[in-house]
Amino acid sequence: MSFLRDVSLLGRSSAAFNCLMLPVNACFLRSRSLSRLDPELWSTPGQFSVLLWAGAYYAASQDVGHGASLWLLFAVEKAFYVAMWLKWLGSHSPAKVLKSGFSSSNPHDILQSLFYLSYGAGDAVFG
């Protein structure tokens, strides 16, 4: 029973992590701005899909008896985002991203910079 409770907590935690998309993109009011650094992955539909995955994680956490294949799919989804993040980090200077975000007077720019530099690490934790 403890294992199922842990899996349920992992699913709810991952759903909450994915829901961080809302403050990062200011409830989609700044989705274009967020997509600026990686328009392929973080387009507005891409940002929306993160919330769809949050719903899937939450739904699965309510009935953890779905089987290992569903949780394997979740692990693959997280691995995909980690791989994309590592690819992105390979072509962007974290120092420049931080400098750009913190040189702005807009707190959303700071939040977005921190998002780009950390989302893959968070996905690795939940994957």
Side-chain angles (χ1 to χ4, degrees), residues 76-90:
V76 169
E77 179 262 347
K78 290 298 185 190
F80 167 79
Y81 281 98
V82 170
M84 295 300 289
W85 177 64
L86 291 171
K87 177 184 170 192
W88 183 85
L89 280 178

PDB file of all heavy atoms in Angstrom, residues 76-90:
ATOM      1  N   VAL A  76       8.797   8.388 -20.080  1.00  0.00           N
ATOM      2  CA  VAL A  76       9.285   8.731 -21.427  1.00  0.00           C
ATOM      3  C   VAL A  76       9.004  10.200 -21.725  1.00  0.00           C
ATOM      4  O   VAL A  76       9.854  10.910 -22.277  1.00  0.00           O
ATOM      5  CB  VAL A  76       8.651   7.811 -22.495  1.00  0.00           C
ATOM      6  CG1 VAL A  76       8.936   8.306 -23.893  1.00  0.00           C
ATOM      7  CG2 VAL A  76       9.146   6.378 -22.314  1.00  0.00           C
ATOM      8  N   GLU A  77       7.823  10.675 -21.337  1.00  0.00           N
ATOM      9  CA  GLU A  77       7.484  12.090 -21.551  1.00  0.00           C
ATOM     10  C   GLU A  77       8.477  12.986 -20.815  1.00  0.00           C
ATOM     11  O   GLU A  77       8.992  13.960 -21.374  1.00  0.00           O
ATOM     12  CB  GLU A  77       6.050  12.357 -21.065  1.00  0.00           C
ATOM     13  CG  GLU A  77       5.600  13.806 -21.227  1.00  0.00           C
ATOM     14  CD  GLU A  77       5.712  14.641 -19.965  1.00  0.00           C
ATOM     15  OE1 GLU A  77       5.914  14.090 -18.876  1.00  0.00           O
ATOM     16  OE2 GLU A  77       5.606  15.876 -20.078  1.00  0.00           O
ATOM     17  N   LYS A  78       8.782  12.661 -19.580  1.00  0.00           N
ATOM     18  CA  LYS A  78       9.734  13.473 -18.808  1.00  0.00           C
ATOM     19  C   LYS A  78      11.131  13.395 -19.424  1.00  0.00           C
ATOM     20  O   LYS A  78      11.836  14.402 -19.510  1.00  0.00           O
ATOM     21  CB  LYS A  78       9.762  13.026 -17.340  1.00  0.00           C
ATOM     22  CG  LYS A  78       8.495  13.358 -16.573  1.00  0.00           C
ATOM     23  CD  LYS A  78       8.255  14.857 -16.520  1.00  0.00           C
ATOM     24  CE  LYS A  78       7.069  15.215 -15.674  1.00  0.00           C
ATOM     25  NZ  LYS A  78       6.706  16.631 -15.804  1.00  0.00           N
ATOM     26  N   ALA A  79      11.526  12.200 -19.879  1.00  0.00           N
ATOM     27  CA  ALA A  79      12.840  12.044 -20.510  1.00  0.00           C
ATOM     28  C   ALA A  79      12.937  12.885 -21.779  1.00  0.00           C
ATOM     29  O   ALA A  79      13.994  13.462 -22.075  1.00  0.00           O
ATOM     30  CB  ALA A  79      13.110  10.569 -20.819  1.00  0.00           C
ATOM     31  N   PHE A  80      11.843  12.976 -22.529  1.00  0.00           N
ATOM     32  CA  PHE A  80      11.817  13.809 -23.731  1.00  0.00           C
ATOM     33  C   PHE A  80      12.127  15.264 -23.384  1.00  0.00           C
ATOM     34  O   PHE A  80      12.968  15.900 -24.014  1.00  0.00           O
ATOM     35  CB  PHE A  80      10.445  13.708 -24.418  1.00  0.00           C
ATOM     36  CG  PHE A  80      10.229  14.746 -25.477  1.00  0.00           C
ATOM     37  CD1 PHE A  80      10.799  14.602 -26.736  1.00  0.00           C
ATOM     38  CD2 PHE A  80       9.456  15.874 -25.226  1.00  0.00           C
ATOM     39  CE1 PHE A  80      10.601  15.568 -27.716  1.00  0.00           C
ATOM     40  CE2 PHE A  80       9.258  16.844 -26.192  1.00  0.00           C
ATOM     41  CZ  PHE A  80       9.835  16.689 -27.448  1.00  0.00           C
ATOM     42  N   TYR A  81      11.466  15.795 -22.348  1.00  0.00           N
ATOM     43  CA  TYR A  81      11.694  17.188 -21.974  1.00  0.00           C
ATOM     44  C   TYR A  81      13.100  17.404 -21.420  1.00  0.00           C
ATOM     45  O   TYR A  81      13.707  18.448 -21.646  1.00  0.00           O
ATOM     46  CB  TYR A  81      10.619  17.684 -20.993  1.00  0.00           C
ATOM     47  CG  TYR A  81       9.339  18.029 -21.716  1.00  0.00           C
ATOM     48  CD1 TYR A  81       8.280  17.144 -21.773  1.00  0.00           C
ATOM     49  CD2 TYR A  81       9.205  19.244 -22.380  1.00  0.00           C
ATOM     50  CE1 TYR A  81       7.125  17.459 -22.452  1.00  0.00           C
ATOM     51  CE2 TYR A  81       8.053  19.574 -23.065  1.00  0.00           C
ATOM     52  CZ  TYR A  81       7.019  18.667 -23.102  1.00  0.00           C
ATOM     53  OH  TYR A  81       5.872  18.982 -23.782  1.00  0.00           O
ATOM     54  N   VAL A  82      13.633  16.422 -20.710  1.00  0.00           N
ATOM     55  CA  VAL A  82      15.011  16.530 -20.221  1.00  0.00           C
ATOM     56  C   VAL A  82      15.973  16.575 -21.410  1.00  0.00           C
ATOM     57  O   VAL A  82      16.886  17.410 -21.447  1.00  0.00           O
ATOM     58  CB  VAL A  82      15.366  15.363 -19.265  1.00  0.00           C
ATOM     59  CG1 VAL A  82      16.858  15.347 -18.963  1.00  0.00           C
ATOM     60  CG2 VAL A  82      14.560  15.466 -17.980  1.00  0.00           C
ATOM     61  N   ALA A  83      15.763  15.707 -22.390  1.00  0.00           N
ATOM     62  CA  ALA A  83      16.637  15.685 -23.578  1.00  0.00           C
ATOM     63  C   ALA A  83      16.549  17.009 -24.342  1.00  0.00           C
ATOM     64  O   ALA A  83      17.582  17.548 -24.781  1.00  0.00           O
ATOM     65  CB  ALA A  83      16.266  14.519 -24.485  1.00  0.00           C
ATOM     66  N   MET A  84      15.350  17.535 -24.505  1.00  0.00           N
ATOM     67  CA  MET A  84      15.191  18.813 -25.206  1.00  0.00           C
ATOM     68  C   MET A  84      15.857  19.943 -24.428  1.00  0.00           C
ATOM     69  O   MET A  84      16.460  20.848 -25.012  1.00  0.00           O
ATOM     70  CB  MET A  84      13.704  19.124 -25.436  1.00  0.00           C
ATOM     71  CG  MET A  84      13.013  18.149 -26.368  1.00  0.00           C
ATOM     72  SD  MET A  84      13.735  18.088 -28.017  1.00  0.00           S
ATOM     73  CE  MET A  84      13.245  19.669 -28.669  1.00  0.00           C
ATOM     74  N   TRP A  85      15.769  19.883 -23.108  1.00  0.00           N
ATOM     75  CA  TRP A  85      16.401  20.901 -22.260  1.00  0.00           C
ATOM     76  C   TRP A  85      17.921  20.838 -22.393  1.00  0.00           C
ATOM     77  O   TRP A  85      18.581  21.876 -22.547  1.00  0.00           O
ATOM     78  CB  TRP A  85      15.964  20.683 -20.821  1.00  0.00           C
ATOM     79  CG  TRP A  85      16.571  21.598 -19.807  1.00  0.00           C
ATOM     80  CD1 TRP A  85      16.414  22.956 -19.722  1.00  0.00           C
ATOM     81  CD2 TRP A  85      17.411  21.234 -18.717  1.00  0.00           C
ATOM     82  NE1 TRP A  85      17.114  23.447 -18.635  1.00  0.00           N
ATOM     83  CE2 TRP A  85      17.722  22.405 -18.003  1.00  0.00           C
ATOM     84  CE3 TRP A  85      17.913  20.011 -18.264  1.00  0.00           C
ATOM     85  CZ2 TRP A  85      18.524  22.396 -16.866  1.00  0.00           C
ATOM     86  CZ3 TRP A  85      18.706  20.006 -17.123  1.00  0.00           C
ATOM     87  CH2 TRP A  85      19.003  21.185 -16.442  1.00  0.00           C
ATOM     88  N   LEU A  86      18.465  19.629 -22.354  1.00  0.00           N
ATOM     89  CA  LEU A  86      19.915  19.485 -22.504  1.00  0.00           C
ATOM     90  C   LEU A  86      20.373  19.974 -23.879  1.00  0.00           C
ATOM     91  O   LEU A  86      21.414  20.627 -23.993  1.00  0.00           O
ATOM     92  CB  LEU A  86      20.335  18.036 -22.274  1.00  0.00           C
ATOM     93  CG  LEU A  86      20.198  17.537 -20.837  1.00  0.00           C
ATOM     94  CD1 LEU A  86      20.437  16.036 -20.769  1.00  0.00           C
ATOM     95  CD2 LEU A  86      21.130  18.302 -19.912  1.00  0.00           C
ATOM     96  N   LYS A  87      19.606  19.680 -24.908  1.00  0.00           N
ATOM     97  CA  LYS A  87      19.913  20.175 -26.258  1.00  0.00           C
ATOM     98  C   LYS A  87      19.892  21.704 -26.269  1.00  0.00           C
ATOM     99  O   LYS A  87      20.784  22.348 -26.823  1.00  0.00           O
ATOM    100  CB  LYS A  87      18.899  19.614 -27.251  1.00  0.00           C
ATOM    101  CG  LYS A  87      19.078  20.108 -28.658  1.00  0.00           C
ATOM    102  CD  LYS A  87      17.972  19.572 -29.559  1.00  0.00           C
ATOM    103  CE  LYS A  87      18.038  20.271 -30.913  1.00  0.00           C
ATOM    104  NZ  LYS A  87      16.851  20.009 -31.710  1.00  0.00           N
ATOM    105  N   TRP A  88      18.878  22.282 -25.643  1.00  0.00           N
ATOM    106  CA  TRP A  88      18.759  23.737 -25.596  1.00  0.00           C
ATOM    107  C   TRP A  88      19.930  24.344 -24.829  1.00  0.00           C
ATOM    108  O   TRP A  88      20.522  25.328 -25.267  1.00  0.00           O
ATOM    109  CB  TRP A  88      17.424  24.130 -24.954  1.00  0.00           C
ATOM    110  CG  TRP A  88      17.198  25.597 -24.945  1.00  0.00           C
ATOM    111  CD1 TRP A  88      16.668  26.360 -25.942  1.00  0.00           C
ATOM    112  CD2 TRP A  88      17.525  26.506 -23.886  1.00  0.00           C
ATOM    113  NE1 TRP A  88      16.645  27.680 -25.566  1.00  0.00           N
ATOM    114  CE2 TRP A  88      17.167  27.794 -24.310  1.00  0.00           C
ATOM    115  CE3 TRP A  88      18.086  26.342 -22.628  1.00  0.00           C
ATOM    116  CZ2 TRP A  88      17.351  28.915 -23.514  1.00  0.00           C
ATOM    117  CZ3 TRP A  88      18.266  27.462 -21.840  1.00  0.00           C
ATOM    118  CH2 TRP A  88      17.899  28.736 -22.285  1.00  0.00           C
ATOM    119  N   LEU A  89      20.287  23.743 -23.692  1.00  0.00           N
ATOM    120  CA  LEU A  89      21.414  24.254 -22.898  1.00  0.00           C
ATOM    121  C   LEU A  89      22.725  24.209 -23.682  1.00  0.00           C
ATOM    122  O   LEU A  89      23.603  25.046 -23.474  1.00  0.00           O
ATOM    123  CB  LEU A  89      21.584  23.459 -21.607  1.00  0.00           C
ATOM    124  CG  LEU A  89      20.665  23.804 -20.456  1.00  0.00           C
ATOM    125  CD1 LEU A  89      20.939  22.873 -19.277  1.00  0.00           C
ATOM    126  CD2 LEU A  89      20.809  25.246 -20.024  1.00  0.00           C
ATOM    127  N   GLY A  90      22.847  23.234 -24.579  1.00  0.00           N
ATOM    128  CA  GLY A  90      24.056  23.107 -25.386  1.00  0.00           C
ATOM    129  C   GLY A  90      24.258  24.259 -26.350  1.00  0.00           C
ATOM    130  O   GLY A  90      25.374  24.509 -26.808  1.00  0.00           O
TER     131      GLY A  90
END
